[in-house]
Amino acid sequence: LAKTTQPISMDSYEGQEVNITCSHNNIATNDYITWYQQFPSQGPRFIIQGYKTKVTNEVASLFIPADRKSSTLSLPRVSLSDTAVYYCLVTNSNYQLIWGAGTKLIIKP
Amino acid sequence: EPEVTQTPSHQVTQMGQEVILRCVPISNHLYFYWYRQILGQKVEFLVSFYNNEISEKSEIFDDQFSVERPDGSNFTLKIRSTKLEDSAMYFCASSDVFPTNTGELFFGEGSRLTVL
């Protein structure tokens, strides 16, 4: 099973770049890495997905080294509204996504 | 922007009662899911549904749970006899592609179930 490990919490300040690293040592050859964001009392929201190297969209960047045993979500110039829980997921089976505890990110003014 | 909608937003029920949570997935999506999240804990997979049948279910999804797509738009989760430990936020999600490797799940805002 492709279990993920992330820091439980992180703090940062407005305007800073935030990097959240996730380890997934047992990732399988065909697995992708996906990150979701969740605000309190809301459903998770897709941020970014990648297989290897670097992926960038309008919200974030995802860095995946060659061995794919870890990945780093990078949020540029965070604001207070980026305070949320961030989940790193690796596909487990055909349909099921296994969610870890996530990283609670707190952005301070 | 298309979205997944869920009703009710909050339901309070007595232990032992039946509860039906409703979801309207995004219209052209083919894969449907229910997840739950107990307050302060992680998101847990319950069940996935495709082509009018359950594709996969977790250990949580026991005989007390059932899902149905009664028409072309709704996707329901039924809990036959609620227990205190069923109190949680229940999220419906849908996707338009087979989710093995790629594609995102679109989640609803959730239905909070409180069992007294």
Side-chain angles (χ1 to χ4, degrees):
Chain A
L1 298 178
K3 184 180 174 181
T4 60
T5 303
Q6 307 172 233
I8 294 174
S9 65
M10 293 180 67
D11 291 352
S12 188
Y13 293 90
E14 282 190 292
Q16 300 294 306
E17 177 184 84
V18 171
N19 296 309
I20 306 174
T21 297
C22 175
S23 67
H24 26 78
N25 292 321
N26 296 329
I27 191 170
T29 302
N30 295 328
D31 286 343
Y32 276 63
I33 299 138
T34 310
W35 286 78
Y36 282 83
Q37 175 192 56
Q38 186 181 28
F39 298 112
S41 298
Q42 293 188 26
R45 187 176 69 173
F46 174 90
I47 301 175
I48 197 166
Q49 185 177 69
Y51 183 79
K52 62 179 180 181
T53 63
K54 177 183 175 182
V55 179
T56 298
N57 61 21
E58 65 277 7
V59 177
S61 294
L62 178 60
F63 299 90
I64 305 168
D67 66 5
R68 304 200 329 121
K69 294 183 182 299
S70 66
S71 59
T72 299
L73 174 72
S74 180
L75 304 172
R77 297 180 299 281
V78 294
S79 65
L80 295 176
S81 62
D82 292 316
T83 293
V85 178
Y86 291 82
Y87 296 95
C88 164
L89 286 86
V90 172
T91 54
N92 173 40
S93 61
N94 286 342
Y95 295 91
Q96 185 173 161
L97 296 180
I98 303 296
W99 298 72
T103 298
K104 186 175 183 179
L105 175 65
I106 298 174
I107 305 301
K108 303 175 183 178
Chain B
E1 182 177 326
E3 59 180 16
V4 175
T5 58
Q6 291 185 240
T7 55
S9 56
H10 189 192
Q11 181 158 355
V12 181
T13 190
Q14 295 292 323
M15 189 169 56
Q17 295 297 302
E18 177 182 282
V19 163
I20 297 176
L21 305 179
R22 291 180 169 81
C23 169
V24 178
I26 295 173
S27 61
N28 64 334
H29 285 187
L30 302 174
Y31 303 88
F32 314 112
Y33 313 81
W34 283 100
Y35 287 82
R36 80 172 185 188
Q37 187 174 32
I38 296 170
L39 185 63
Q41 298 188 25
K42 61 185 180 183
V43 177
E44 298 174 294
F45 170 80
L46 293 179
V47 66
S48 59
F49 192 86
Y50 170 69
N51 201 25
N52 287 319
E53 60 182 22
I54 291 175
S55 308
E56 193 166 352
K57 59 183 180 179
S58 70
E59 293 177 352
I60 301 170
F61 195 88
D62 60 22
D63 293 343
Q64 292 299 312
F65 291 87
S66 63
V67 290
E68 192 178 32
R69 189 158 162 81
D71 52 44
S73 60
N74 291 286
F75 179 51
T76 63
L77 174 69
K78 182 192 292 186
I79 308 174
R80 291 190 180 84
S81 178
T82 50
K83 303 186 286 289
L84 294 176
E85 54 264 38
D86 292 328
S87 294
M89 182 76 92
Y90 288 80
F91 293 108
C92 173
S94 70
S95 65
D96 60 349
V97 296
F98 186 72
T100 298
N101 296 324
T102 63
E104 65 179 281
L105 295 188
F106 293 81
F107 284 81
E109 291 300 296
S111 292
R112 180 171 298 284
L113 176 63
T114 302
V115 182
L116 303 177

